[in-house]
Amino acid sequence: MSGLKLDNPVIPASGTFGFGYEFAQLYDINILGSFSFKGTTKEPRFGNPTPRIAECTSGMINSVGLQNPGIDKVISEELPKMKKCFNKKVIANISGFSVDEYVYTCEKIDKEEQVGLIEVNISCPNVHGGGMSFGTSCEAAAEVTKAVKSVTAKPVYIKLSPNVTDIVKIAEACENAGADGISMINTLMGMRIDLKTKKPVVANKSGGFSGPAIFPVAVSMVYRVYEAVDIPIIGMGGVASPENVIEMMLAGASAVEVGAANLIDPFASKKIVEGLPDAMKKYGINNLKDITGGAH
Amino acid sequence: MKNVIYTVVSNERLAENVYKMILSGDTSAVTAPGQFINIKVEPFYLRRPISVFDCEDGRLSIIYKVVGAGTEKMSKMEKGTELDCLSGLGNGFDISVSGENPVVIGGGAGVPPLYYLAKKLIQNGKTVTAVLGFNKADEIFAKEDFEKLGVKTVITTADGSYGIKGFVTDALKNMDYSYFYACGPEPMLKALCDKTKTSGQLSFEERMGCGFGACMGCSCETKYGSKRICRDGPVLVKEEIVWKI
């Protein structure tokens, strides 16, 4: 995938896997294709007020708001810790509140040998004046893509928001601006209201909806973007089983991220990797590489 | 933390909306009082974090309040039901700093983790007092359990229908204690920090995503930086707490 070789297509998604070591205490995470670490910004962030979590049917809402220790600490403290438990290349998930911040953070991460790919998040629904505001206009998405591409030699994948009129247009704008790939989809905007208090459950009112409920939305969007762009897609959104991985790849994904499932079952990503050979056999698939876009 | 399938041994009503469930299965991941288990209740998506009331080799009990559809479903589970749980979550209480005569203070649904704590303190030769606060007499539970441990047990009720009329802080006024441990609603915890003269440890609640430190859903700010209630807590020491109420 843009020069990054994966043993298998399964990648825990940013924000559901920390910096890997909580999970490394439970199993050898080298079984994974890679993982996308916690969304990182220029400055450290505490994130949004609590409560940040609400339950939904077949899913959840989070409004964490990009809590992270900031790029300097991620490089000085988290990357060395990740190196101890993961001997493959990691995916750096980067976010910002201005084009300059994206550039600053990507320039720093570019020097890190451990990072195999940069996933540029222009789609966080939980922060104001940044995040998703870059992912909802073709011009802003292209501007961030161009700026980031100019400061790094690593493959740049732009993580897109589903909360747009036409995700295909945004994907095309990123491709034209030089993106090496597309990562999609981030969470859908959602809200739950507590009937006892008659107020939204999460303090930030709305949050990002994820989990199995959004899987068909993600498959449909990946399918449509695959038809429009020539760059690889990392597909995600509600993936919870080896069968989901295959379905997402048939829609057009070259690799697949697993998100909320890691939070419900900490062994979910491992189980998906281990379950893939049986699922492939069941559906007559010899090599996963051959099935990307197979549904078209 | 361990992923354990527990089997329901019994599930009985103790008081209004309060139930006690005994589970059998691997309890080796529970290493301290004040820890919790995170229970998958089908068909709900998120697990339900519930503190450990008592624990021995191969057997663990929880006391939970019915507050929503998940705990409602739990209250109807029958003997033999299998539950997918993440066991031994959270830091738990540190009993090494208790001094000779600690007090454990619980409010309503915050009472359960203090029982296993009191048991451990007694096993370590401490003289333990329990102050358990409830709204009214028919909400009282676990009193006899504490008494059977040899714990001096003081009950307060907000409406005065049993024991001392008022709040747990009223029962502490003329009491001597070396240290305090508490679990209950946040206003109670704050009042305790304002009115206690010793240091202490307090167990907090927050809406959680994963319960094991991955999602950052339950973060709180402390004087030593941000902490995750599920993993770095739920127990915080009095001196580090930054109150948001």
Side-chain angles (χ1 to χ4, degrees):
Chain A
M1 221 173 43
S2 313
L4 176 67
K5 278 215 166 81
L6 304 176
D7 309 335
N8 68 67
V10 180
I11 303 169
S14 181
T16 67
F17 211 70
F19 293 98
Y21 41 84
E22 278 88 3
F23 291 84
Q25 290 171 8
L26 303 172
Y27 65 91
D28 181 1
I29 61 172
N30 288 295
I31 190 174
L32 305 166
S34 181
F35 72 86
S36 181
F37 67 60
K38 177 76 186 137
T40 297
T41 51
K42 182 184 177 191
E43 306 293 340
R45 287 178 54 82
F46 172 71
N48 290 329
T50 55
R52 298 173 172 181
I53 304 287
E55 187 177 54
C56 312
T57 303
S58 280
M60 64 185 284
I61 286 169
N62 88 82
S63 75
V64 170
L66 294 175
Q67 180 174 356
N68 79 93
I71 186 65
D72 291 336
K73 261 203 171 156
V74 166
I75 289 173
S76 65
E77 291 177 19
E78 305 294 347
L79 275 174
K81 282 199 246 175
M82 282 184 258
K83 193 160 201 167
K84 280 187 195 153
C85 58
F86 193 61
N87 56 33
K88 302 179 189 178
K89 303 251 186 194
V90 296
I91 296 178
N93 185 287
I94 298 300
S95 211
F97 292 83
S98 66
V99 173
D100 288 347
E101 280 192 21
Y102 280 104
V103 165
Y104 178 92
T105 312
C106 288
E107 217 168 1
K108 287 213 158 181
I109 213 75
D110 178 64
K111 297 175 184 70
E112 298 305 317
E113 196 247 332
Q114 260 172 282
V115 173
L117 190 150
I118 303 176
E119 186 176 58
V120 179
N121 179 10
I122 57 166
S123 45
C124 179
N126 291 322
V127 293
H128 297 290
M132 197 167 81
S133 60
F134 290 100
T136 52
S137 112
C138 293
E139 293 73 27
E143 193 190 351
V144 174
T145 307
K146 242 179 229 156
V148 167
K149 275 297 287 178
S150 72
V151 294
T152 180
K154 293 189 192 295
V156 171
Y157 279 48
I158 310 293
K159 185 165 177 180
L160 301 188
S161 171
N163 305 304
V164 293
T165 316
D166 188 357
I167 197 166
V168 174
K169 290 270 186 323
I170 311 268
E172 285 171 339
C174 293
E175 181 180 37
N176 292 336
D180 298 288
I182 299 292
S183 189
M184 62 185 287
I185 56 175
N186 206 319
T187 52
L188 281 93
M189 273 285 234
M191 181 190 279
R192 293 304 307 272
I193 294 167
D194 185 326
L195 299 188
K196 287 178 191 162
T197 63
K198 301 182 176 57
K199 299 283 179 217
V201 173
V202 301
N204 209 32
K205 298 187 176 83
S206 289
F209 178 35
S210 61
I214 74 162
F215 180 69
V217 178
V219 170
S220 154
M221 288 187 168
V222 167
Y223 186 94
R224 285 164 47 222
V225 167
Y226 178 82
E227 297 205 322
V229 303
D230 293 320
I231 49 179
I233 300 167
I234 303 178
M236 75 201 74
V239 173
S241 67
E243 288 77 11
N244 288 166
V245 170
I246 292 172
E247 192 172 335
M248 193 64 93
M249 293 184 79
L250 288 169
S254 297
V256 176
E257 288 188 17
V258 178
N262 295 306
L263 307 177
I264 307 309
D265 176 2
F267 299 94
S269 289
K270 176 179 189 271
K271 287 176 185 167
I272 291 172
V273 173
E274 289 170 344
L276 268 172
D278 278 351
M280 287 166 65
K281 204 173 160 190
K282 186 174 174 190
Y283 295 102
I285 298 162
N286 292 319
N287 194 334
L288 281 177
K289 270 195 291 194
D290 303 336
I291 69 165
T292 295
H296 292 261
Chain B
M1 176 178 84
K2 260 193 186 173
N3 189 187
V4 181
I5 306 294
Y6 286 115
T7 305
V8 176
V9 175
S10 66
N11 191 21
E12 52 164 349
R13 185 185 177 278
L14 294 186
E16 198 178 330
N17 292 327
V18 177
Y19 291 78
K20 179 179 181 180
M21 186 183 274
I22 299 177
L23 300 165
S24 68
D26 181 0
T27 54
S28 61
V30 180
T31 53
Q35 289 184 311
F36 64 95
I37 62 173
N38 213 359
I39 309 171
K40 186 85 174 106
V41 182
E42 297 298 344
F44 303 101
Y45 192 64
L46 297 176
R47 291 171 184 268
R48 268 56 186 170
I50 312 269
S51 62
V52 172
F53 172 74
D54 193 13
C55 183
E56 56 191 270
D57 193 23
R59 185 176 276 240
L60 171 155
S61 57
I62 54 173
I63 292 180
Y64 59 97
K65 189 173 178 184
V66 173
V67 291
T71 39
E72 170 83 36
K73 178 95 189 275
M74 280 174 63
S75 72
K76 298 195 168 88
M77 284 177 180
E78 290 182 7
K79 187 183 170 179
T81 306
E82 292 193 331
L83 286 177
D84 179 331
C85 298
L86 300 176
S87 179
L89 300 178
N91 59 351
F93 293 108
D94 176 4
I95 61 168
S96 70
V97 293
S98 72
E100 286 312 304
N101 57 329
V103 58
V104 303
I105 308 152
V111 167
L114 300 175
Y115 174 78
Y116 189 41
L117 170 67
K119 190 174 169 181
K120 287 284 170 192
L121 289 166
I122 294 274
Q123 281 171 3
N124 278 269
K126 310 301 179 191
T127 304
V128 183
T129 304
V131 176
L132 311 180
F134 299 93
N135 287 316
K136 51 187 194 234
D138 58 9
E139 290 182 7
I140 296 169
F141 63 87
K143 176 175 173 281
E144 293 76 19
D145 297 296
F146 281 87
E147 286 168 347
K148 271 185 216 154
L149 290 175
V151 170
K152 186 189 171 204
T153 307
V154 180
I155 303 289
T156 68
T157 50
D159 69 353
S161 53
Y162 191 96
I164 297 172
K165 183 178 191 310
F167 300 105
V168 290
T169 41
D170 296 313
L172 287 177
K173 270 175 194 159
N174 299 310
M175 197 180 279
D176 270 335
Y177 48 88
S178 54
Y179 198 80
F180 78 94
Y181 297 93
C183 183
E186 217 164 303
M188 178 194 109
L189 298 181
K190 181 160 192 294
L192 281 171
C193 283
D194 291 341
K195 289 177 182 170
T196 45
K197 295 175 192 81
T198 69
S199 181
Q201 294 168 31
L202 304 97
S203 182
F204 285 79
E205 250 193 346
E206 187 52 83
R207 275 180 184 267
M208 293 176 187
C210 63
F212 56 90
C215 75
M216 313 307 276
C218 62
S219 297
C220 72
E221 284 179 285
T222 74
K223 287 178 185 155
Y224 313 132
S226 86
K227 288 196 170 185
R228 299 159 295 183
I229 291 296
C230 70
R231 191 168 177 115
D232 310 312
V235 178
L236 302 178
V237 296
K238 177 181 171 178
E239 290 74 22
E240 70 178 313
I241 298 164
V242 176
W243 295 101
K244 51 179 186 177
I245 52 169

